Amino acid sequence: MHIALVTGHETRPEDASFERLVAADSQPRALAGALADRGHDVTMYAPTDQEVSSGSDEVAPGVTLELAYVGATGEPGSAKRYATFLEETWRDDQPDLAHSFSCSAGLAVVAGDDEVPLVLDCRAVEVPPTKSLQDARWAKLQTALGRRAKRTLVSGHPQADELARRGIPRSTMSVVSYGVDLAVFAPEGDAAPRTDLHRLVCADGLVADQGAEKVVAALPHVPGTELVIAGGPSLNAIDTDDDAIRIRDLAERLGVAARVTMVGTLPAAELADLFRSADVVVSVPDNDTPRGPSCVEAMACGAPLVATDVDDIVLDGVSGVTVAAGASPDRLAVVLRRLVADDPRRTAYGIAGADRAAACFSWGRVATDVETAYTSAVRTGHFTGRDLTGKYRIG
């Protein structure tokens, strides 16, 4: 099957190696590799703000990268240039379907060639009730694309419920989890150095509403415990980052600044070391924002989780504890205090989580689930299986 993976993540020409692509935007790039391993012909499309020579580069066996010069992200005309690039590229080589990883990428697909079946990936898209005019416009675009798409990928049933309320047909939705590299994220391996304090890790970033502030607000009521926050800018930019400054100011006002450390965005191997050093990994966005892959990666490392119930990743009482998305810092503190003090329960959650990650979130499993969604999107053929042709055969 000829699959177009269309991202909105800006890529620079010097980063056009598969390893750097995966490091920069792990989920689409790793999925490309997994689909190619299953015999598909995969082309990734990404915008860039730098002039590039024409042509494409094979960045991994079966995976080709096409960079589209669109100017700076958000610059007037950039979206139109992306759509025009896709239209011209697909004029003589139309893919069997296009999988878009954002609303902007989905819009480029539809504007570029509305005959290509669209698979809209909403797993990383915020879906709470809109609060501003800009949010409302973005939600309206998402809903319009979801109605137009042949298939919509969601992170779990809570997200499916919200999108269905907005008018996207539930019959076109497929629940697909994030994938995890089990060779990197595993219980066995080094652990990051730590103090004698219990350790909480939050790896969802620093942006407001992603949950780091809520964990900081709970920390005064979880004694003998430190918090390490990963994500956001690189470590050398933490001191001047507005979100980091806001979190640091909150920690100082609450008297817990000595127990809060921000380490910035980490390479995958270092993030795995950090997860293995944690007593509990916390993922508690302040709204129903679908979380990124950090929960899956932490589970694969054998870390117990406390997470909001916005998807189907963490099983309450099995691989961790779930709390409502609107849970207060006081409520979160109670949950954390009890779990930190319960070594046997943490160990049991960690073992169950690692087993669940290996069984449900490997890239082979995720690629199989995505293939099933693709089959539903195309609806004109069937997968023959890699043993026969490794391709998609019509008829």
Side-chain angles (χ1 to χ4, degrees):
M1 190 179 194
H2 183 191
I3 302 165
L5 300 185
V6 186
T7 80
H9 188 280
E10 200 166 84
T11 300
R12 293 181 175 273
E14 61 266 24
D15 290 331
S17 70
F18 195 70
E19 292 77 12
R20 288 190 176 186
L21 288 169
V22 170
D25 197 9
S26 64
Q27 294 294 308
R29 274 58 177 191
L31 176 61
L35 291 170
D37 288 343
R38 299 174 71 84
H40 298 289
D41 177 17
V42 182
T43 303
M44 296 189 301
Y45 296 88
T48 182
D49 62 356
Q50 296 186 8
E51 294 279 4
V52 294
S53 58
S54 59
S56 57
D57 294 314
E58 186 175 29
V59 292
V63 181
T64 300
L65 173 66
E66 293 267 9
L67 294 181
Y69 172 70
V70 299
T73 300
E75 179 182 289
S78 61
K80 183 177 181 180
R81 282 193 287 270
Y82 200 7
T84 300
F85 175 87
L86 295 178
E87 178 185 18
E88 294 175 349
T89 302
W90 293 347
R91 188 170 294 149
D92 298 321
D93 187 21
Q94 189 182 73
D96 294 313
L97 63 81
H99 179 163
S100 71
F101 288 86
S102 66
C103 288
S104 58
L107 184 60
V109 170
V110 172
D113 190 336
D114 63 2
E115 293 184 359
V116 176
L118 172 65
V119 174
L120 179 66
D121 199 325
C122 289
R123 291 174 296 168
V125 177
E126 184 172 330
V127 295
T130 56
K131 298 178 181 179
S132 69
L133 180 60
Q134 183 178 2
D135 289 339
R137 288 172 175 169
W138 198 251
K140 187 175 182 180
L141 170 61
Q142 182 192 56
T143 301
L145 288 171
R147 290 173 175 170
R148 163 68 177 76
K150 297 296 185 182
R151 208 73 192 165
T152 299
L153 305 188
V154 296
S155 61
H157 293 94
Q159 188 184 32
D161 292 341
E162 176 60 33
L163 293 178
R165 283 193 289 270
R166 290 188 182 182
I168 297 177
R170 190 181 294 273
S171 60
T172 67
M173 297 184 197
S174 296
V175 176
V176 177
S177 68
Y178 286 106
V180 60
D181 184 349
L182 296 174
V184 175
F185 296 95
E188 301 79 19
D190 295 333
R194 52 176 290 174
T195 68
D196 292 334
L197 298 175
H198 288 292
R199 172 171 286 180
L200 306 178
V201 169
C202 182
D204 292 324
L206 308 177
V207 176
D209 294 342
Q210 286 187 327
E213 287 172 273
K214 182 180 290 188
V215 185
V216 172
L219 201 59
H221 308 292
V222 190
T225 303
E226 66 174 348
L227 170 63
V228 180
I229 304 172
S234 60
L235 181 59
N236 59 12
I238 285 287
D239 289 342
T240 57
D241 180 75
D242 289 342
D243 293 315
I245 292 171
R246 187 187 64 255
I247 290 173
R248 188 181 303 111
D249 288 346
L250 174 62
E252 290 175 352
R253 290 198 305 273
L254 296 175
V256 295
R259 293 193 280 139
V260 175
T261 303
M262 288 175 279
V263 296
T265 295
L266 299 175
E270 293 182 24
L271 183 59
D273 291 349
L274 181 61
F275 286 147
R276 283 189 287 264
S277 76
D279 291 300
V280 178
V281 172
V282 191
S283 179
V284 287
D286 291 341
N287 48 40
D288 293 332
T289 304
R291 76 185 93 250
S294 61
C295 270
V296 174
E297 294 166 346
M299 283 173 54
C301 291
L305 285 116
V306 170
T308 46
D309 54 358
V310 298
D311 50 35
D312 301 320
I313 293 175
V314 180
L315 300 182
D316 187 46
V318 177
S319 55
V321 180
T322 62
V323 297
S328 68
D330 288 343
R331 170 58 185 159
L332 178 61
V334 170
V335 172
L336 292 173
R337 195 165 57 243
R338 290 175 177 171
L339 189 54
V340 163
D342 194 338
D343 289 350
R345 189 155 63 114
R346 291 204 318 274
T347 299
Y349 287 166
I351 293 172
D355 288 346
R356 176 167 164 75
C360 301
F361 305 127
S362 70
W363 274 113
R365 170 65 183 270
V366 171
T368 298
D369 292 343
V370 171
E371 279 183 338
T372 300
Y374 288 171
T375 302
S376 298
V378 178
R379 295 183 183 277
T380 55
H382 62 279
F383 285 103
T384 61
R386 186 173 181 179
D387 290 343
L388 295 178
T389 64
K391 299 292 183 181
Y392 187 85
R393 185 171 63 202
I394 300 300

